[in-house]
Amino acid sequence: MPLVSPLSADHDIETKALAKFFNETLGFCPNSVLTMQHRPAISKAFINLNKAVMVNEGRVTSALKRMIAWVSSNATGCRYCQAHAIRAAERYGAEQEQLDHIWDYRTHSAFSEAERAALDFSLAASQIPNAVDENIKRRLYEHWNEGEIVEMLGVISLFGYLNRWNDSMATSIEDGAVESGEKYLGKHGWSQGKHV
């Protein structure tokens, strides 16, 4: 049961207009955003930050950004965000083999060394205490420029916020996200999890 109930998608007209972004990303407006509407300034600021972080300005693809989000959410244990990230990766063109083997990104041939460096960065940056070190930095700079690294850390940081929000709120996972979670993550023990 959620800590705070989500409001109707029609509750705040400005949030509703901005939330159309999620219809492309996920196919629905997330319950997390509907809960944020209790303070519309938060829901609107969040959506605008999400849009800014997810725009592609370099070689970091939409699919890779969503896989970075999944690794970050997996590191923190947020099942809600794991399901959303893998669903968005699927919708944004991640290769089927990558989706099927996301748990094995370090060793599976579907992932390039550049992708492995990005995903290892996500894992290290999502841990407490933070595990980004000189080795992570060196590997990043072998494949990515500083703007691209900023884009990646934007995704990791955005999902740090979402991981805390959704785990603390015990946000109800939407059916579409559950479907993607079960399809790609279920074989490794993913489930909707328990909530407060």
Side-chain angles (χ1 to χ4, degrees):
M1 168 183 280
L3 181 64
V4 174
S5 298
L7 296 172
S8 161
D10 296 319
H11 177 77
D12 180 73
I13 204 82
E14 292 177 65
T15 298
K16 182 178 181 178
L18 286 169
K20 289 180 181 175
F21 165 77
F22 295 109
N23 291 332
E24 176 188 325
T25 305
L26 298 167
F28 53 82
C29 181
N31 285 329
S32 56
V33 172
L34 299 178
T35 304
M36 290 177 203
Q37 285 187 117
H38 281 276
R39 294 295 180 262
I42 294 174
S43 60
K44 290 181 280 193
F46 167 75
I47 295 169
N48 282 322
L49 177 61
N50 197 316
K51 289 168 78 172
V53 165
M54 291 303 187
V55 72
N56 296 326
E57 295 188 27
R59 295 172 299 135
V60 186
T61 66
S62 292
L64 180 56
K65 284 185 177 184
R66 275 57 183 201
M67 289 187 285
I68 287 169
W70 179 82
V71 168
S72 180
S73 299
N74 189 52
T76 65
C78 180
R79 294 181 183 278
Y80 181 90
C81 292
Q82 290 170 22
H84 278 227
I86 204 70
R87 179 174 180 82
E90 177 182 31
R91 291 175 65 91
Y92 275 92
E95 295 175 21
Q96 187 65 47
E97 201 168 4
Q98 289 182 323
L99 292 167
D100 289 338
H101 298 282
I102 187 73
W103 292 86
D104 305 312
Y105 77 84
R106 284 184 164 156
T107 58
H108 198 276
S109 61
F111 296 89
S112 69
E113 286 303 316
E115 289 166 330
R116 287 187 183 107
L119 297 173
D120 278 347
F121 174 46
S122 181
L123 179 61
S126 301
Q127 295 175 19
I128 298 174
N130 191 292
V132 176
D133 59 16
E134 285 300 317
N135 182 50
I136 294 286
K137 179 180 178 179
R138 179 189 52 75
R139 289 179 57 219
L140 281 172
Y141 275 87
E142 286 176 4
H143 305 283
W144 306 102
N145 66 40
E146 290 183 335
E148 292 162 341
I149 293 168
V150 166
E151 282 187 68
M152 291 177 208
L153 191 53
V155 173
I156 296 161
S157 299
L158 177 71
F159 274 81
Y161 172 84
L162 283 169
N163 294 160
R164 291 193 188 283
W165 182 277
N166 291 305
D167 269 356
S168 298
M169 283 289 181
T171 307
S172 298
I173 305 175
E174 305 82 3
D175 290 342
V178 170
E179 179 184 319
S180 295
E182 289 174 346
K183 180 177 180 181
Y184 295 111
L185 310 175
K187 62 187 171 193
H188 292 280
W190 182 91
S191 68
Q192 292 183 51
K194 63 179 184 173
H195 294 289
V196 287

